[in-house]
Amino acid sequence: MHSEPIDDLFLNPTKDTFEALFRKYYAPLCRSVHRIIQDKNGSEDIVQEVFASLWGKRNTIDVQSSIKSYLFRASMNAALNHLKKQKRWASMESEDESSKAIVTENVLEDIEGKELEFVIERTIAQLPTGCRTMFVMNRYDEMSYREIAEATQTSVKTVENQIAKALRVLRQALGSYIKVLIFMFLQLF
């Protein structure tokens, strides 16, 4: 199994491993940030700042998810902060700017939703086979615990325990996203 450059970066922080990471993610991050702030130069600046911050914290940072998720989340947060600063500086927004903000929020929601969907799918795929099967039967196939128990020839209590386990793992995997979603929700109101 090939490790990502970030693993090498933390084990042996070299300029080469960091440059490999930068080359791999810089352009996709710029495109995503551009969808949010609608400014090419600003997007590049934001992504460069995210990478500079990562390099500065390379010896102390604790990435809980994949480096891709970390970089996209950090870039989206930086883009949102950029938009908040712009809002503070603008004393009055025109109708056109208001509709652009709505479009920007919708794009951000789409990006966050896709990333969130990816994390959910990946987490479910990593569950033990029996746990994953029961969870999918319950949540996607909408089967009751009793129906699942009959289909898998287990007890209802076993089904309850396995689904509870799956939900615990999902809550843990989605912990950081819940904070982002709450932040986005509060920004809308």
Side-chain angles (χ1 to χ4, degrees):
M1 178 176 226
H2 182 270
S3 65
E4 286 200 57
I6 193 66
D7 298 330
D8 298 335
L9 179 66
F10 292 133
L11 296 174
N12 182 19
T14 67
K15 187 177 176 185
D16 290 340
T17 55
F18 185 76
E19 285 178 8
L21 183 67
F22 183 84
R23 281 191 303 276
K24 183 174 183 177
Y25 292 111
Y26 179 75
L29 289 170
C30 284
R31 285 191 298 272
S32 293
V33 171
H34 183 264
R35 288 184 196 117
I36 305 300
I37 68 169
Q38 302 294 312
D39 174 9
K40 185 178 187 288
N41 293 333
S43 300
E44 292 171 354
D45 290 344
I46 287 170
V47 173
Q48 288 171 8
E49 287 174 21
V50 167
F51 275 102
S53 174
L54 177 64
W55 179 253
K57 297 187 264 183
R58 70 189 176 282
N59 293 322
T60 58
I61 195 166
D62 182 23
V63 176
Q64 297 294 319
S65 59
S66 72
I67 188 58
K68 181 180 179 181
S69 295
Y70 172 84
L71 287 171
F72 273 89
R73 187 170 46 253
S75 297
M76 293 305 106
N77 287 340
L80 285 173
N81 289 338
H82 176 80
L83 288 176
K84 277 179 29 178
K85 286 178 188 174
Q86 281 185 331
K87 268 189 177 177
R88 272 188 252 142
W89 292 333
S91 59
M92 297 191 73
E93 293 183 349
S94 69
E95 179 101 7
D96 183 47
E97 289 172 342
S98 295
S99 64
K100 187 186 288 186
I102 291 169
V103 169
T104 300
E105 288 171 7
N106 289 341
V107 170
L108 180 60
E109 288 170 6
D110 288 346
I111 291 168
E112 286 289 333
K114 287 175 184 168
E115 184 179 350
L116 188 59
E117 194 174 303
F118 171 76
V119 171
I120 290 170
E121 288 174 9
R122 184 184 70 209
T123 303
I124 291 171
Q126 292 172 345
L127 290 170
T129 305
C131 183
R132 179 178 59 241
T133 301
M134 291 179 190
F135 181 79
V136 168
M137 292 170 91
N138 179 251
R139 300 301 165 140
Y140 293 99
D141 299 336
E142 299 179 2
M143 293 174 69
S144 70
Y145 288 3
R146 183 180 313 261
E147 292 170 326
I148 296 168
E150 289 172 8
T152 59
Q153 298 179 340
T154 58
S155 70
V156 172
K157 190 67 174 168
T158 299
V159 174
E160 289 173 0
N161 290 337
Q162 292 299 308
I163 291 176
K165 177 181 178 180
L167 291 172
R168 266 192 315 276
V169 171
L170 277 167
R171 266 193 302 275
Q172 205 170 28
L174 299 175
S176 61
Y177 291 93
I178 292 170
K179 293 175 189 170
V180 171
L181 292 172
I182 291 171
F183 174 76
M184 287 174 50
F185 179 75
L186 292 175
Q187 293 297 90
L188 294 174
F189 299 99

